[in-house]
Amino acid sequence: MATVTSNVKKLPSDIEIARNAHLAPLTEVAAKVGIDESDLVPYGRHVAKVELEVIEKMADRPDAKYVVVTAITPTPLGEGKTTTAVGLAQGLARIGRKPVLALRQPSLGPVFGIKGGAAGGGYSQVVPMETLNLHLTGDFHAITAAHNLLAAMVANHLHFGNELGLDDIQWRRVMDMNDRSLRHIIEGCGAKTDGVTRQTGFDITAASEVMVIMALATSLADLRKRLGRIVVGFTTAKKPVTAEEIGAAGAMAALLKDALMPNLMQTLENTPAFIHTGPFGNIAIGNSSIIADRVGIKAGDILLTEAGFAADMGAERFFNVKCRAAGLTPQAAVLVATVRALKSHSGRYEVKAGKPLPEGMLQESPEDVEAGCENLVKHIQIIRDFGVQPVVAINAFPTDFDSEHDVIRRTAEKMGARVAVSTHVADGGEGAMELARTVVEACEDEVHFTPTYEFEDSLEEKITKIATKVYGADGVELSPAAAKSLKLYSDQGYGHLPVLIAKTQMSLSHDASLKGAPTGWTLPVREVRLAAGAGYVYAICGNMMTMPGLSKSPAAMRIDIDDEGNVQGLF
């Protein structure tokens, strides 16, 4: 059986494709979706911020169809959600629709680490890809500065007598880089004038609560309120101490005022793309901003957005947290599936980041794909349980075989899901036209949007419902510390908040080694933390890495500039 893409010639590198692209003037890209030049704040030739006032200007326009792009449980290499979202947007434009993209901004940590950038791939990219991957308009730096301003003011409060009686301080510092040596540090070393000596550490900026606040804020006023509600720690009497009480919230808002405006870019085929915020997908919400969606929902007729990792992670948070905070109802969900991920879920192969795929995975084996399809079935069911129509997008690789795609198609159709093969990496929007038509059909289906839990449920009930209904666990096991924290937060008036569960993205369970759709297991919750500014409580299951480290041979070692100033080695 021939491979699906056997006649496709070897593609140029992503950066070569991007540099040969014809970029339209950004004013023309904005005009496609009814945004006037006067509403743009240019950052160079091909990026602009969009003034927040445009939301009010477009208020009378009808809402676009709202579609989230998610995936089955990925391999460490990722399965191409961003690329699929970009290709689908281009495909929708080719069939006469007016699509708008809303995507997260890449963090510098992964760009210089193993994963590389997140601008898409092949002929389905957001461009200029160097600009997108290398700190764009400085939003991440503004978030880093605002976060660290609060950390500095907490330290200053301690230095000048600790009037509020802070005892359990939970606010660390952040930077947008992988640096394992900063995970645990001692601050205030030296003379008495150098501050109070204590143990603390750094997280990556994508893990900052300020990043999530930016993503979930619905306006500048809402941003200011959320910043004030940040809890930096507790007194000995377990009373929360907020950023407002420390006196930092106003200055933080001033630093973030411009960063709250979404960034407008374009795809290789000149489709408008709003790039904004980049919260972690396994400990935060893993979604781009509500502000970008509020612009995009009025700008086109289909708004595509991507949720980090798989349907049990980013999509669950998209449905349970983001949609409810934004007041928007999703019409459909695109579930990206790849042959390699399903072969991995067969349990017969091990995929490692930075390493070539096992040779056996490149051989034709519909049996391996079928053995891993229980993961696909579970993710289809997760989406269905939210009352949303799933569309399975087979992200085709050159090493795939028709027989393997047939297995995926039969499995999806047996579950009642629509399915389409997409070759958007090799063929751009033309390769995603079948997927585009299928998504348009799904958007016409009746939606009965049903979140997993009610806000009136107790915090423990919310955690249990996610674990059992979404992940497939038999139940939840709370550590004594976790149970104590849940009671404390409920007593303090935070019991109405939504919950997030921080766990591995490599399995539906908390254990990365459990592939497919594991059953007969219990979710252990070792710790529960409060993110009052962002507006949720999060349960920690396992050891979550909030400051990644670099590999032995990180991507940073291959990145350089040539004599003309062109970036080399980014992809």
Side-chain angles (χ1 to χ4, degrees):
M1 179 72 70
T3 58
V4 172
T5 53
S6 59
N7 296 321
V8 177
K9 62 184 178 181
K10 181 176 174 59
L11 295 179
S13 69
D14 289 350
I15 199 164
E16 289 172 329
I17 293 172
R19 284 181 179 158
N20 289 323
H22 170 71
L23 273 67
L26 211 56
T27 52
E28 293 182 9
V29 176
K32 287 183 178 181
V33 289
I35 296 176
D36 190 75
E37 182 177 0
S38 63
D39 293 313
L40 302 180
V41 182
Y43 277 68
R45 294 186 182 92
H46 301 298
V47 183
K49 282 195 166 292
V50 180
E51 298 273 12
L52 298 183
E53 289 76 12
V54 78
I55 296 174
E56 186 175 345
K57 291 180 181 180
M58 298 192 300
D60 293 336
R61 298 184 188 179
D63 283 358
K65 301 291 187 181
Y66 195 28
V67 178
V68 63
V69 178
T70 184
I72 63 173
T73 303
T75 67
L77 304 177
E79 306 318 309
K81 288 190 309 299
T82 302
T83 307
T84 301
V86 175
L88 174 56
Q90 295 177 158
L92 286 164
R94 282 177 177 258
I95 65 170
R97 305 307 295 254
K98 193 164 71 171
V100 177
L101 268 173
L103 301 174
R104 288 182 295 169
Q105 179 182 337
S107 164
L108 289 178
V111 168
F112 292 126
I114 292 178
K115 184 178 179 182
Y123 289 96
S124 293
Q125 297 184 53
V126 175
V127 285
M129 61 94 79
E130 304 103 305
T131 304
L132 174 57
N133 283 301
L134 299 177
H135 58 191
L136 197 54
T137 57
D139 291 351
F140 273 44
H141 301 314
I143 290 168
T144 301
H147 182 114
N148 290 339
L149 170 63
L150 179 54
M153 292 189 70
V154 168
N156 196 54
H157 183 83
L158 296 178
H159 177 70
F160 284 104
N162 193 12
E163 181 182 350
L164 295 171
L166 264 171
D167 177 56
D168 177 16
I169 300 172
Q170 300 184 352
W171 196 256
R172 292 154 55 94
R173 289 173 174 79
V174 298
M175 65 181 296
D176 190 30
M177 196 61 61
N178 292 359
D179 194 343
R180 64 172 57 82
S181 63
L182 294 178
R183 290 172 186 163
H184 304 284
I185 67 169
I186 303 295
E187 70 173 27
C189 298
K192 186 176 180 180
T193 54
D194 294 329
V196 176
T197 303
R198 68 184 186 92
Q199 183 172 335
T200 181
F202 276 76
D203 300 322
I204 197 166
T205 299
S208 168
E209 185 179 347
V210 179
M211 178 69 78
V212 184
I213 288 171
M214 286 280 288
L216 292 177
T218 56
S219 65
L220 189 59
D222 185 39
L223 172 71
R224 175 62 182 82
K225 291 177 183 177
R226 287 174 179 269
L227 292 170
R229 294 199 299 263
I230 291 172
V231 172
V232 299
F234 296 86
T235 67
T236 53
K238 298 302 180 183
K239 177 184 178 297
V241 176
T242 66
E244 197 71 62
E245 292 173 291
I246 293 293
M252 293 171 72
L255 283 172
L256 296 170
K257 178 175 68 71
D258 290 343
L260 190 61
M261 293 186 289
N263 306 294
L264 176 63
M265 298 183 72
Q266 62 186 294
T267 73
L268 286 168
E269 298 180 16
N270 313 126
T271 309
F274 294 107
I275 312 297
H276 202 215
T277 72
F280 253 23
N282 53 0
I283 63 169
I285 63 165
N287 285 258
S288 58
S289 74
I290 286 176
I291 287 288
D293 284 359
R294 291 189 70 193
V295 176
I297 204 76
K298 297 293 186 179
D301 61 7
I302 294 183
L303 172 62
L304 297 174
T305 190
E306 176 203 343
F309 296 130
D312 62 310
M313 302 288 285
E316 180 270 315
R317 292 152 195 200
F318 171 81
F319 292 129
N320 280 326
V321 180
K322 184 182 177 183
C323 286
R324 297 163 94 177
L328 299 175
T329 300
Q331 266 73 44
V334 176
L335 183 65
V336 178
T338 62
V339 165
R340 72 182 186 188
L342 291 171
K343 285 184 175 180
S344 174
H345 282 289
S346 71
R348 299 167 184 174
Y349 305 98
E350 185 177 4
V351 179
K352 294 183 178 180
K355 302 290 185 181
L357 289 174
E359 187 62 32
M361 287 185 70
L362 303 179
Q363 305 302 314
E364 181 175 10
S365 180
E367 295 81 12
D368 286 347
V369 175
E370 187 164 10
C373 269
E374 63 177 9
N375 187 266
L376 172 63
V377 168
K378 176 59 178 173
H379 283 290
I380 291 172
Q381 190 60 55
I382 288 171
I383 293 169
R384 276 271 168 74
D385 286 347
F386 284 104
V388 177
Q389 292 300 324
V391 174
V392 175
I394 303 175
N395 181 15
F397 282 66
T399 52
D400 295 352
F401 293 84
D402 291 333
S403 62
E404 296 170 334
H405 287 182
D406 289 344
V407 172
I408 300 173
R409 185 180 293 276
R410 287 197 302 271
T411 302
E413 290 177 346
K414 187 176 180 180
M415 288 290 295
R418 292 178 172 87
V419 60
V421 175
S422 187
T423 60
H424 48 273
V425 174
D427 303 316
E430 183 178 356
M433 289 173 67
E434 178 193 352
L435 176 60
R437 294 188 185 97
T438 306
V439 169
V440 169
E441 288 179 5
C443 285
E444 298 307 317
D445 288 348
E446 191 173 354
V447 174
H448 302 282
F449 181 46
T450 308
T452 308
Y453 54 79
E454 301 297 332
F455 290 137
E456 294 75 21
D457 293 340
S458 72
L459 294 174
E460 183 175 350
E461 286 173 332
K462 292 168 188 170
I463 293 170
T464 301
K465 286 183 177 180
I466 293 174
T468 56
K469 293 184 177 182
V470 179
Y471 304 161
D474 289 342
V476 170
E477 182 180 349
L478 299 175
S479 71
K484 185 176 180 181
S485 294
L486 287 175
K487 183 179 186 308
L488 174 65
Y489 299 149
S490 296
D491 291 345
Q492 291 172 337
Y494 298 114
H496 66 287
L497 294 179
V499 299
L500 270 64
I501 297 178
K503 71 174 186 70
T504 179
Q505 68 273 20
M506 306 312 298
S507 172
L508 282 158
S509 74
H510 63 289
D511 184 347
S513 68
L514 297 180
K515 302 301 181 183
T519 57
W521 59 280
T522 299
L523 182 72
V525 178
R526 67 174 178 85
E527 186 180 355
V528 179
R529 296 179 184 174
L530 173 67
Y536 59 75
V537 170
Y538 60 107
I540 299 175
C541 306
N543 296 316
M544 303 309 302
M545 188 67 65
T546 56
M547 171 54 82
L550 295 171
S551 65
K552 185 177 181 179
S553 179
M557 296 175 69
R558 299 180 289 277
I559 297 174
D560 207 334
I561 56 172
D562 62 19
D563 292 341
E564 285 74 43
N566 297 310
V567 176
Q568 302 293 328
L570 190 56
F571 274 76

